[in-house]
Amino acid sequence: MAEKEQNIQQDFNSANAGMNMDQVPSQIKKGTVTYSLNGVIENFDSNSFTYQNEEGNELCLNFEQGYSLIGKHFIPEKNKHIFFLTNQNTGDSEIGYMENNDCVYHTLVNSPCLNFSIDYPIHSSVHKITNCSTEIYWTDGNNPRRWLDIDNIPYKLISGTANCNPEYSDELDCNQLKVQPSFSIPQLSINKVVSGGDVIAGTYQFAVQYSDRAGNPYTSYYSVTNPVPIADTTITSTNFNYPVGKSIVVDISNLDTTGLYQYYNLAVIKTINGVSSVELVGTYNIERDNRTITYTGQSKTNIQLSIDDIFEKFPYYEIAQDVTSVQDIIIWDQLTTVSKINYQKIANELELQWETWRIPSTESYADEENAANLRGYLRDEVYPFEAVFLLTGGRETDGFHIPGRKKTITESTLPDIYETDDDFVGTPSDYDESGIGYSPYWKIYNTAYTISYSPEYEEGSLYKGPYQYGEMAYWESTETYPCNEDVWGELAGQPIRHHKFPDVATCPIFKSGEFIIGEDFTPEMGNRDIFPIGVKVNPSQVQQIINASDLTDEQKADIIGFKIVRGDRSSHKSIVAKGMLRNVGSYEREGVNYYYPN
């Protein structure tokens, strides 16, 4: 504070804001001034109240040559300045800090994957302090939303190191800096059902998600398994709420072992007497990329779940333009999700075939593993299929229609079937000049065919596995694809094609007894090989189609998997009746025998 005519009474504890220019110096009260140059009413400790000179600027530190400052953040609780730097010449990016205004610069992390740019300065950053960490969050409107625990830098885990004593490289793991990082989606499968346990009769499904140690979720639930029926076949009752001395063995694979997550939740969906409920089986540590867990029905947790928890999908927002915090709650502004990409051209090229599995006569669907994993489709039925692509960050695309196969040259030359034919069913598609109706050959007869035995097939009475495969039957709708060639390509404006499975003449459901012409043949009940039918897809073909597509390299790398889903055909069934009953149970009541399907 510059003095003039000694107009200030030196009473440092009674400074007043403002200047008094109306009175002579002898009338000025203590703490009041008539003139002040570069003066402020405060002190360096921000507590006392007095006049002092405004501080000036002085050079404190220099950054390494070539680096430009694009953002800074001050953490007053730690008296620490955080700096965001980039080197446009080398492409390097760096986060550094200065302690206690000591004018000494320290490098925190340096990695090109930070991808900082002078064209996208970091104007928005906040921090959050917990008992275990000091976290900073920032956004530049260009890179994904990020955060960093400056007390625990995430370096890439060296593959193969022990879980209890992990070793890390000196390479920064920028994936772990993302608020919504990329991760491996865990897979579940039912291994078997074993004796012993406290499971109640009903059907059981399982799902998995990543979590913290307390079971709080980090991701959505994934990989819901097929229903596993559990029952005591010696009990005939309409009430299925009774204990069964069995346990379900669940295999978990493809767990993320990069160190991004340390725990995961396993949930069970129970349907008993038609009522579904969800329970948390437990929270487990990620020790390796696979694990086998036995569900006995005895595990109890205090975390309550609902069916909405299982099917909830967290939204994915890659970029934000601003970030702030309110009472330690991080708030992102102007969120931007990734643009939806049309994968229909890839789905247009996918080829689905049918394939049967052989269940030997020594087994049946009374085996819970078979009932869970080997449920087949109906023969001679039409099904719509879609491809769903799995993306990084746990995202899933919409379903994209997979067209049925094209009509072969042979099918194009097959004769039409007239309504006078004994095999003709339905309404004729067209009429000739004589007024006799007819339909194309493929509408009357199933045109599916067998290609060969599956490569895995081995002869032997006990063999269980893939059996035969072939091409689906041709089928088309009266409706057409939209006339958008950018999406549908050569399919635009053409009849919609779905997949039709072979009939029993081409692909028997079970192995029947040998029938010899001229000899008596009496059908009889007995154990037979069963051939459930499913969909065969070649993953390498899918990868080739993706690689050959017009997607960018970044979009191709974003695809980490796919799954085939089936549309609902409940209102468009082509099979009205299924013929005779097989594999039935029976009971007697009031002298009358009653039969029911097993």
Side-chain angles (χ1 to χ4, degrees):
M1 188 278 300
E3 298 182 356
K4 184 179 181 182
E5 299 181 359
Q6 298 296 327
N7 64 344
I8 299 178
Q9 301 298 324
Q10 300 298 319
D11 189 341
F12 298 103
N13 294 322
S14 59
N16 296 318
M19 290 188 292
N20 187 340
M21 303 181 67
D22 298 327
Q23 295 175 302
V24 296
S26 62
Q27 297 174 328
I28 298 299
K29 295 180 179 180
K30 292 182 178 181
T32 304
V33 297
T34 60
Y35 178 78
S36 178
L37 177 65
N38 298 330
V40 292
I41 306 176
E42 61 179 343
N43 204 345
F44 294 114
D45 59 7
S46 299
N47 292 319
S48 59
F49 193 54
T50 185
Y51 281 103
Q52 67 173 43
N53 284 355
E54 177 70 57
E55 292 183 88
N57 296 324
E58 64 179 21
L59 180 64
C60 182
L61 57 83
N62 287 312
F63 301 119
E64 187 176 340
Q65 184 176 2
Y67 280 88
S68 301
L69 180 69
I70 63 169
K72 59 186 177 62
H73 182 76
F74 179 57
I75 306 177
E77 297 92 337
K78 301 284 186 177
N79 201 13
K80 179 176 291 188
H81 296 264
I82 303 297
F83 304 106
F84 302 93
L85 309 172
T86 181
N87 190 322
Q88 293 298 102
N89 297 324
T90 63
D92 291 330
S93 300
E94 182 169 304
I95 301 176
Y97 66 94
M98 178 179 67
E99 293 270 14
N100 299 317
N101 295 324
D102 60 2
C103 297
V104 178
Y105 176 76
H106 306 270
T107 297
L108 195 61
V109 291
N110 185 299
S111 176
C113 70
L114 290 171
N115 195 36
F116 292 153
S117 171
I118 59 175
D119 297 325
Y120 296 94
I122 299 175
H123 295 305
S124 301
S125 58
V126 297
H127 68 273
K128 178 180 177 181
I129 297 179
T130 69
N131 292 334
C132 303
S133 63
T134 302
E135 303 168 358
I136 55 174
Y137 296 78
W138 74 90
T139 181
D140 58 10
N142 178 44
N143 291 294
R145 297 176 294 147
R146 290 174 171 173
W147 73 288
L148 174 68
D149 180 358
I150 62 176
D151 300 323
N152 185 20
I153 306 300
Y155 294 105
K156 288 189 175 180
L157 181 67
I158 298 177
S159 178
T161 58
N163 181 71
C164 295
N165 189 23
E167 297 181 13
Y168 295 89
S169 66
D170 57 359
E171 182 181 358
L172 180 67
D173 190 348
C174 275
N175 180 57
Q176 293 197 44
L177 300 187
K178 296 179 181 179
V179 173
Q180 290 183 291
S182 303
F183 54 86
S184 298
I185 298 178
Q187 304 295 315
L188 298 182
S189 62
I190 304 302
N191 183 306
K192 57 185 175 180
V193 176
V194 296
S195 299
D198 236 358
V199 176
I200 304 298
T203 59
Y204 292 79
Q205 296 173 270
F206 297 87
V208 63
Q209 73 173 174
Y210 293 112
S211 69
D212 62 15
R213 176 183 293 180
N216 298 311
Y218 283 146
T219 68
S220 303
Y221 273 99
Y222 297 100
S223 304
V224 179
T225 64
N226 290 333
V228 185
I230 301 295
D232 187 340
T233 56
T234 63
I235 298 177
T236 302
S237 172
T238 58
N239 178 22
F240 295 98
N241 191 9
Y242 59 86
V244 180
K246 295 182 179 180
S247 298
I248 304 171
V249 181
V250 182
D251 285 340
I252 306 175
S253 60
N254 202 41
L255 289 167
D256 194 295
T257 56
T258 62
L260 178 62
Y261 302 116
Q262 282 76 45
Y263 299 90
Y264 60 92
N265 290 332
L266 181 66
V268 59
I269 309 167
K270 304 188 296 184
T271 303
I272 299 173
N273 276 345
V275 178
S276 297
S277 61
V278 184
E279 292 181 0
L280 183 65
V281 177
T283 301
Y284 303 90
N285 186 29
I286 299 178
E287 300 175 350
R288 52 186 180 274
D289 64 355
N290 63 85
R291 181 170 178 172
T292 297
I293 296 177
T294 300
Y295 174 69
T296 63
Q298 299 169 341
S299 301
K300 304 294 182 182
T301 64
N302 294 324
I303 299 180
Q304 301 297 319
L305 299 177
S306 68
I307 200 69
D308 292 335
D309 294 322
I310 301 298
F311 294 106
E312 179 185 14
K313 297 300 179 185
F314 295 152
Y316 184 89
Y317 297 106
E318 186 173 32
I319 297 174
Q321 301 300 325
D322 196 8
V323 60
T324 186
S325 64
V326 178
Q327 296 180 352
D328 277 346
I329 298 177
I330 307 300
I331 300 175
W332 303 91
D333 184 34
Q334 302 180 60
L335 290 165
T336 303
T337 187
V338 293
S339 59
K340 287 191 175 182
I341 301 172
N342 193 331
Y343 298 93
Q344 186 57 55
K345 286 189 176 181
I346 296 178
N348 290 346
E349 302 296 324
L350 298 183
E351 297 179 2
L352 301 184
Q353 297 176 318
W354 63 264
E355 183 175 48
T356 56
W357 273 54
R358 179 175 181 264
I359 301 177
S361 59
T362 54
E363 299 185 22
S364 70
Y365 280 105
D367 186 328
E368 295 87 354
E369 180 187 354
N370 292 337
N373 299 326
L374 296 178
R375 296 189 182 191
Y377 291 85
L378 290 173
R379 261 70 167 184
D380 204 31
E381 180 63 283
V382 179
Y383 290 89
F385 290 100
E386 293 182 340
V388 175
F389 296 94
L390 308 180
L391 309 179
T392 57
R395 295 168 291 150
E396 294 184 1
T397 70
D398 297 327
F400 293 89
H401 164 74
I402 303 176
R405 70 172 177 84
K406 299 178 181 179
K407 187 183 296 184
T408 64
I409 298 177
T410 301
E411 286 172 327
S412 300
T413 60
L414 291 173
D416 296 326
I417 308 300
Y418 284 84
E419 59 182 338
T420 55
D421 192 288
D422 291 339
D423 291 336
F424 189 92
V425 293
T427 302
S429 299
D430 208 343
Y431 293 86
D432 64 10
E433 296 178 355
S434 303
I436 300 177
Y438 63 91
S439 292
Y441 185 93
W442 62 266
K443 279 194 174 184
I444 308 303
Y445 296 107
N446 190 297
T447 60
Y449 58 90
T450 301
I451 294 178
S452 180
Y453 287 96
S454 300
E456 301 89 344
Y457 173 67
E458 298 177 358
E459 292 188 4
S461 60
L462 298 180
Y463 171 77
K464 179 181 181 180
Y467 181 61
Q468 289 180 327
Y469 71 98
E471 294 290 351
M472 301 276 193
Y474 180 81
W475 186 92
E476 70 178 35
S477 171
T478 56
E479 299 179 357
T480 59
Y481 293 105
C483 296
N484 186 342
E485 293 186 2
D486 292 337
V487 175
W488 298 99
E490 63 179 15
L491 293 174
Q494 300 298 314
I496 294 175
R497 303 198 302 262
H498 288 313
H499 297 79
K500 187 174 184 179
F501 281 86
D503 56 16
V504 293
T506 301
C507 179
I509 299 175
F510 57 88
K511 184 177 181 180
S512 62
E514 184 178 3
F515 176 75
I516 302 176
I517 298 178
E519 296 185 6
D520 293 336
F521 178 76
T522 303
E524 59 181 18
M525 295 294 291
N527 293 332
R528 295 286 186 269
D529 296 343
I530 307 172
F531 304 105
I533 191 169
V535 175
K536 178 181 176 67
V537 61
N538 186 350
S540 60
Q541 182 217 30
V542 178
Q543 186 64 57
Q544 292 173 3
I545 295 173
I546 293 174
N547 293 338
S549 69
D550 56 2
L551 298 178
T552 65
D553 291 340
E554 183 179 357
Q555 291 169 344
K556 293 175 182 178
D558 208 24
I559 302 175
I560 59 174
F562 71 94
K563 61 182 179 181
I564 306 299
V565 298
R566 173 176 59 83
D568 183 12
R569 43 169 277 285
S570 58
S571 60
H572 296 84
K573 295 180 180 180
S574 63
I575 296 178
V576 178
K578 301 179 183 178
M580 67 182 68
L581 290 175
R582 299 187 178 91
N583 189 17
V584 296
S586 65
Y587 64 93
E588 182 180 343
R589 186 176 65 186
E590 298 179 354
V592 179
N593 289 327
Y594 293 88
Y595 296 89
Y596 58 92
N598 183 4

